[in-house]
Amino acid sequence: MTRPAPSDTNSATANSATATTSIAGPSAPILTFRDGELFRDGAPHRVLSGSIHYFRVHPDLWRDRLERLAALGLNTVDTYIAWNFHQRSPGPADFSGWRDLERFIALAGELGFDVIVRPGPYICAEWDNGGLPSWLTGVPGLRPRSSDDRYMTAVEEWFDELIPRLAALQASRGGPVVAVQLENEFGSYGDDAGYLLRLRDALVDRGVTELLYTADGPTELMLDGGTLPDVLATATFGSRAREAAELLRSRRDGEPFLCAEYWNGWFDHWGERHHVREPGGSVGVIDEILAVGGSVSIYMAHGGTNFGLWSGANHDGRVLQPTVTSYDSDAPVSEHGAITGKGRMLRQRLEAFTGVVPPAIPEARAVLAARRLPTAPGAALLPALRAVGGHEASVTVAPASFEELGLDAGLVLYEATPILPRGTSTLSMRGLHDRAQVWVDGRFAGVVDTVSAQSGLEVTGKGERVSLEILVENQGRINYGPLLGQGKGILGVVQIDRRIVHGWRSRPLPLAEWSAAELEAAVAVAAGETADGVEQVEPGDAGFVTAMFEVETAADTFLALPGFAKGFVWVNDFLLGRYWEIGPQVTLYVPAPVLRAGVNMVTVLELERSGDELELRAAPELGPEEEYIESFD
């Protein structure tokens, strides 16, 4: 669709009120409000937005997904900005390639959308560490999401790079950006008004002139902590729109009602069911928002995928809850780009509400025919990881954390040589984050993890010194709540009964940072081509396996790993993500741009038990479903 002229923007969506006669000036915000009503360039307006995250969609598919959102009848898209996606390690931020945020925003504008940007710096989003860089939150004593000067200095340096790029794309300068969110649901976390004020000033001082707003849950507690008097207050919720509207209007006289996130679906944790929401009830809440005069942003309109190791985690106060690789979120546009039944119902309702016929629904994307792929064995897990360490091991008295090793995500292989007493002892770990596999003299001893809350295991010794190896997996950094920024690795001590084990080699394995050449070297080791003495994985054991397949033309596909237990999978040199037999997710989405005409390689690093074949399927399988509606009760 073409971008509408400012004076003609969705005036049909207003069911009120006399429009203001003022016209936005060159530096005035294009979105304004008065007497509880929202205006766009002087005309009554409803924001009909959908959330889409550029960092969860392959850049070659940005246009495809935005066109599908246009077919829903939306007039706006919004996106978070994930700081750690642009600055994984200290140094200049990266805005190239997949991280070319300006290209994504400009593309949305070309397709006729207004754009709302949500730069955080904290975003939650079920994204690793809530979008904050682990090199920052790992600073001892630093308090994220606060007016802590060390934190805010880093934020302001990041904003020095980011905000001028966004400011140049504002509507007042001819771009599509019409609003900017201040922080994200801060009232669910803290009450540091000084922090919010400093963030507001950081945005304004760097050129933000469009509408600023905060977003919080619709409770007194959350609104008390997350709002500022001179910044529009909006709500995030999944139900009971009328109650949310009444609460906001009772507190913020004269402000329009905007649901900044309407949760029409939900995300999944490993070991749970796939969360869905019945289309009629889901779209019905949007009807309710519009009926009370509100605007809405649908979270998610298209969820996408937590490719690589970017999925975050929650913590319920007892155990870690890692988020799956898929971020389908039961959205109107599915993970692989299909307009769902929910999406078609939404399209009909929005067309009836606005009187504007949306663009035609694009054709379904091509999908490869289903096939089975026999696997070739590589090296056994421990020999392979010893051989492809990637970074030099750190030698310390205590185990080194991921942060001390400068490692954001992946694995660490810890090695020590303690004396193991005669008979049976208990090996335990204090401060384990998140999952440890243990070997004694090369023999697998068991798993200790924070998902099942198992903290130790029994080992048997002969009163002799042994080789103790512990492989620790970071299963995703916590993205919400008071444990945000928690470190990874073994943060405390390893004990044999009451005795602490000292003297460790900590070998970082930066899976997410492996280049194509490093992955190729790892595969070569797995195939036994360069590593003398590296034993090959036995059928059914842990380690590297590979599979090859050939295609004439690249198309989408869905990868299943029957018989495999837990691990990581690459397609060509692209880290697709994590898999785990506990589900609910069964298949991993493989977008067409990851493939190439000709021969393609799948590389699997299996941590527990390998199967003997992989499957390319013609449709996704995200697991047994469960109806889910999030509430603040």
Side-chain angles (χ1 to χ4, degrees):
M1 64 185 176
T2 57
R3 187 170 179 78
S7 61
D8 188 42
T9 303
N10 288 305
S11 58
T13 66
N15 49 356
S16 71
T18 303
T20 177
T21 57
S22 64
I23 302 297
S27 61
I30 198 168
L31 292 182
T32 58
F33 56 87
R34 190 190 69 209
D35 299 330
E37 187 170 6
L38 184 68
F39 299 89
R40 187 188 188 281
D41 204 20
H45 181 65
R46 302 289 189 95
V47 172
L48 304 175
S49 181
S51 291
I52 176 173
H53 300 152
Y54 63 97
F55 45 84
R56 283 184 161 121
V57 179
H58 193 286
D60 291 353
L61 297 177
W62 283 349
R63 176 178 289 274
D64 176 89
R65 298 307 195 259
L66 287 167
E67 288 175 344
R68 293 169 191 275
L69 295 191
L72 298 179
L74 303 171
N75 60 27
T76 307
V77 294
D78 68 76
T79 184
Y80 280 128
I81 298 170
W83 181 1
N84 55 5
F85 189 64
H86 294 271
Q87 201 174 22
R88 190 159 213 161
S89 57
D94 184 0
F95 291 95
S96 64
W98 199 325
R99 294 161 174 80
D100 191 347
L101 172 64
E102 292 151 289
R103 183 171 79 85
F104 176 80
I105 293 173
L107 179 57
E110 289 173 18
L111 293 173
F113 287 111
D114 283 345
V115 177
I116 297 172
V117 290
R118 310 173 73 186
Y122 164 81
I123 64 171
C124 185
E126 293 70 56
W127 188 254
D128 191 71
N129 215 32
L132 299 177
S134 63
W135 55 261
L136 176 61
T137 57
V139 173
L142 180 137
R143 297 292 183 262
R145 303 186 73 189
S146 79
S147 51
D148 179 330
D149 193 59
R150 291 174 300 171
Y151 172 71
M152 278 306 306
T153 296
V155 169
E156 288 163 348
E157 290 173 353
W158 158 237
F159 276 8
D160 284 341
E161 295 195 66
L162 171 66
I163 301 305
R165 298 172 182 271
L166 301 179
L169 292 167
Q170 292 177 112
S172 60
R173 303 191 193 181
V177 174
V178 300
V180 178
Q181 181 175 299
L182 181 65
E183 236 272 355
N184 184 62
E185 295 181 323
F186 183 69
S188 304
Y189 180 82
D191 62 0
D192 188 345
Y195 167 54
L196 295 180
L197 287 168
R198 189 164 172 181
L199 281 179
R200 182 203 60 189
D201 292 347
L203 294 172
V204 172
D205 291 348
R206 288 161 179 79
V208 172
T209 58
E210 298 298 337
L211 180 70
L212 282 175
Y213 71 97
T214 58
D216 287 284
T219 72
E220 296 280 2
L221 176 73
M222 294 176 184
L223 292 170
D224 287 344
T227 58
L228 290 176
D230 58 347
V231 176
L232 175 67
T234 73
T236 63
F237 55 82
S239 61
R240 294 156 46 185
R242 289 183 185 275
E243 293 180 31
E246 290 170 2
L247 176 61
L248 275 174
R249 284 168 174 158
S250 71
R251 294 173 57 101
R252 310 286 293 206
D253 185 42
E255 293 189 358
F257 175 48
L258 169 59
C259 175
E261 284 187 16
Y262 163 55
W263 306 321
N264 75 147
W266 204 246
F267 59 91
D268 299 334
H269 294 132
W270 291 111
E272 298 177 357
R273 290 179 173 267
H274 173 47
H275 296 129
V276 298
R277 190 158 183 192
E278 186 271 323
S282 174
V283 176
V285 177
I286 297 173
D287 290 338
E288 187 180 354
I289 293 169
L290 298 177
V292 297
S295 292
V296 63
S297 182
I298 299 164
Y299 192 95
M300 297 293 298
H302 170 63
T305 310
N306 296 313
F307 292 117
L309 304 181
W310 287 115
S311 54
N314 293 105
H315 199 288
D316 67 359
R318 188 181 63 90
V319 296
L320 188 77
Q321 300 170 298
T323 301
V324 303
T325 299
S326 170
Y327 202 65
D328 178 82
S329 301
D330 194 36
V333 178
S334 73
E335 180 180 16
H336 59 286
I339 306 291
T340 65
K342 182 187 293 183
R344 292 175 186 274
M345 183 179 294
L346 175 64
R347 171 187 168 93
Q348 292 172 355
R349 299 288 180 83
L350 293 182
E351 180 179 343
F353 179 75
T354 64
V356 177
V357 179
I361 294 176
E363 293 183 2
R365 292 183 51 78
V367 177
L368 295 179
R371 68 182 80 176
R372 297 178 182 273
L373 308 177
T375 58
L381 181 62
L382 273 182
L385 297 184
R386 293 175 190 138
V388 300
H391 289 214
E392 185 175 343
S394 173
V395 180
T396 52
V397 172
S401 68
F402 276 58
E403 292 72 31
E404 290 169 326
L405 294 168
L407 183 62
D408 182 42
L411 305 167
V412 173
L413 181 61
Y414 295 99
E415 303 165 274
T417 55
I419 295 174
L420 197 57
R422 295 181 184 274
T424 300
S425 300
T426 298
L427 185 145
S428 60
M429 300 176 207
R430 297 182 184 273
L432 171 65
H433 301 279
D434 300 313
R435 186 174 191 271
Q437 295 171 256
V438 180
W439 290 262
V440 177
D441 284 339
R443 295 187 300 274
F444 183 63
V447 173
V448 179
D449 70 25
T450 54
V451 174
S452 65
Q454 179 182 340
S455 61
L457 52 87
E458 290 188 347
V459 291
T460 303
K462 301 178 180 178
E464 299 172 348
R465 197 169 293 279
V466 298
S467 170
L468 174 63
E469 294 173 284
I470 302 174
L471 182 66
V472 173
E473 177 191 356
N474 169 359
Q475 295 189 292
R477 294 177 183 273
I478 292 170
N479 54 254
Y480 180 82
L483 298 181
L484 176 73
Q486 191 176 69
K488 295 296 183 179
I490 301 175
L491 307 185
V493 297
V494 177
Q495 292 176 266
I496 297 174
D497 293 331
R498 68 176 61 189
R499 192 181 70 220
I500 296 173
V501 178
H502 291 98
W504 290 90
R505 288 174 54 86
S506 305
R507 184 191 307 271
L509 298 159
L511 309 182
E513 301 171 35
W514 279 352
S515 65
E518 287 171 319
L519 180 61
E520 183 178 351
V523 172
V525 169
E529 296 174 11
T530 62
D532 294 339
V534 176
E535 61 192 78
Q536 194 174 71
V537 62
E538 295 295 325
D541 286 350
F544 278 103
V545 299
T546 59
M548 311 283 282
F549 66 98
E550 191 169 353
V551 298
E552 291 185 7
T553 304
D556 291 351
T557 189
F558 306 91
L559 177 66
L561 298 94
F564 287 77
K566 189 181 197 306
F568 313 89
V569 58
W570 290 259
V571 176
N572 296 319
D573 60 351
F574 182 79
L575 179 53
L576 206 59
R578 301 175 174 95
Y579 65 89
W580 198 354
E581 65 178 350
I582 66 173
Q585 183 174 0
V586 175
T587 59
L588 280 75
Y589 172 54
V590 184
V594 170
L595 303 180
R596 53 190 175 226
V599 177
N600 294 267
M601 173 180 280
V602 181
T603 304
V604 180
L605 176 54
E606 168 59 46
L607 299 179
E608 293 184 5
R609 182 190 67 253
S610 59
D612 56 11
E613 66 177 10
L614 307 175
E615 295 178 0
L616 300 183
R617 297 187 182 178
E621 183 179 348
L622 297 180
E625 296 180 351
E626 175 181 75
E627 178 82 5
Y628 188 85
I629 301 174
E630 175 65 10
S631 171
F632 284 109
D633 287 344

